Amino acid sequence: MAACGRNQDICMIRVRPHGILPLELWDLLTPDGGILWDHMRAPHFGEMLCDAVSKVWNGTAETRSEGCVSEEVCGFHTLHLAGGGAEAVLEAMRRGPWTWTTISSETTFAAEAGGRALLAERGLDGWVLDVGQSRFKLSGGSLRLQKARDWSRLPLRDDGLGIDIEKQRAELRLCLADFLKEMHKAVEQWPSGLVVALPSRLDDGGVPEGSSYTGMCGDADLVTDVMMMAGMPEVPAFVVNDAELAAASAHHEFDLVKPALVLTLGFGIGGAIVRDS
């Protein structure tokens, strides 16, 4: 579905990669009454993650936000790990009941291949911007840039602190626009299209429904405003959930035995299922 924000000349298109279903697994319930997110920095997180995902596999897992995990996920054949935290849990995850456990050769830029494939399908040579929760990643041609999140400018969302939402939205726009400008300065040209992976569930119009960034929820003009502020020409912007794009990357780079559950592990936990069709 296409939508235009305040900059009516830039078209934002919500993309759902074919055969991929995004999953909310960060709040899987754990035996202690907590959720998986609470234990991400625990010394034995790998074992806890394996137990939680094993329940997803056998159909007994529940999340705090959505209840029982979709039956479409049960009995998946392959577990594929991506993201900066993948290597640390690999050995533990190999003990799960699924048949295969694989890991991405890319950690930081795990979403790039899926973004490039999305652009190529449309005959475009563009950039892939991954707005991670702890760092921004941008690839264009043979060049890759990354920048750590400035926690002083973009603090972790805390709904109880009364942080100024409009100020935070403005800061995020400035940070992302400057990042695009940096790439433009390095390659000396603008792309013919832009893929933007956001760390949030997205509605049919590509509007985020929440993340660790204050104000991202409901910000329909984020992507188009950032492009306009960076001085980009009127090129299409394809918006996708970050876990969906990581799953699309895995699907294009690996001969995954499907159905396959793709987990992205970094600042948080993302998930998507690659289905048979």
Side-chain angles (χ1 to χ4, degrees), residues 245-262:
L245 200 56
S249 292
H251 179 55
H252 283 282
E253 286 191 298
F254 298 89
D255 186 17
L256 296 178
V257 180
K258 299 184 284 293
L261 176 63
V262 177

Side-chain angles (χ1 to χ4, degrees), residues 20-266:
I20 294 174
L21 174 71
L23 302 168
E24 295 294 321
L25 298 180
W26 63 276
D27 62 342
L28 282 169
L29 296 177
T30 54
D32 62 357
I35 59 174
L36 201 55
W37 168 268
D38 299 332
H39 302 284
M40 283 202 63
R41 309 295 177 255
H44 303 293
F45 175 67
E47 287 76 10
M48 298 188 70
L49 179 64
C50 185
D51 289 343
V53 177
S54 294
K55 291 182 178 179
V56 173
W57 182 88
N58 65 33
T60 62
E62 294 185 39
T63 64
R64 180 175 289 173
S65 60
E66 297 185 340
C68 295
V69 175
S70 171
E71 293 183 359
E72 291 187 67
V73 190
C74 299
F76 56 87
H77 294 309
T78 304
L79 176 72
H80 183 82
L81 304 172
E87 187 69 40
V89 303
L90 177 60
E91 287 306 314
M93 301 308 284
R94 283 177 170 155
R95 304 186 189 106
W98 40 89
T99 306
W100 307 99
T101 302
T102 58
I103 188 169
S104 176
S105 57
E106 285 287 351
T107 53
T108 303
F109 288 86
E112 180 182 345
R116 290 193 182 280
L118 188 157
L119 289 164
E121 288 168 3
R122 293 157 175 80
L124 300 173
D125 179 20
W127 297 352
V128 181
L129 171 63
D130 185 354
V131 185
Q133 298 195 81
S134 61
R135 63 181 55 242
F136 306 147
K137 287 88 69 176
L138 181 59
S139 59
S142 61
L143 183 63
R144 290 173 165 180
L145 300 178
Q146 56 179 305
K147 180 173 291 185
R149 177 175 177 174
D150 185 338
W151 296 99
S152 64
R153 295 178 65 184
L154 299 168
L156 188 65
R157 191 187 93 197
D158 188 332
D159 296 333
L161 290 180
I163 298 175
D164 189 323
I165 289 178
E166 291 306 317
K167 181 179 179 181
Q168 283 298 291
R169 286 182 171 180
E171 286 289 348
L172 182 57
R173 281 162 166 72
L174 285 171
C175 289
L176 290 174
D178 286 345
F179 196 40
L180 293 178
K181 289 177 183 177
E182 186 178 342
M183 175 64 86
H184 179 252
K185 182 178 180 180
V187 301
E188 299 183 332
Q189 63 181 1
W190 290 110
S192 56
L194 178 69
V195 174
V196 183
L198 295 177
S200 169
R201 186 184 312 188
L202 304 173
D203 69 12
D204 289 338
V207 179
E209 296 182 2
S211 78
S212 69
Y213 290 97
T214 298
M216 183 175 280
C217 180
D219 192 353
D221 298 310
L222 172 62
V223 173
T224 53
D225 279 358
V226 166
M227 295 171 69
M228 179 179 64
M229 290 169 64
M232 288 188 70
E234 300 163 13
V235 300
F238 305 97
V239 184
V240 64
N241 166 266
D242 58 352
E244 289 177 311
L245 200 56
S249 292
H251 179 55
H252 283 282
E253 286 191 298
F254 298 89
D255 186 17
L256 296 178
V257 180
K258 299 184 284 293
L261 176 63
V262 177
L263 291 182
T264 59
L265 301 161

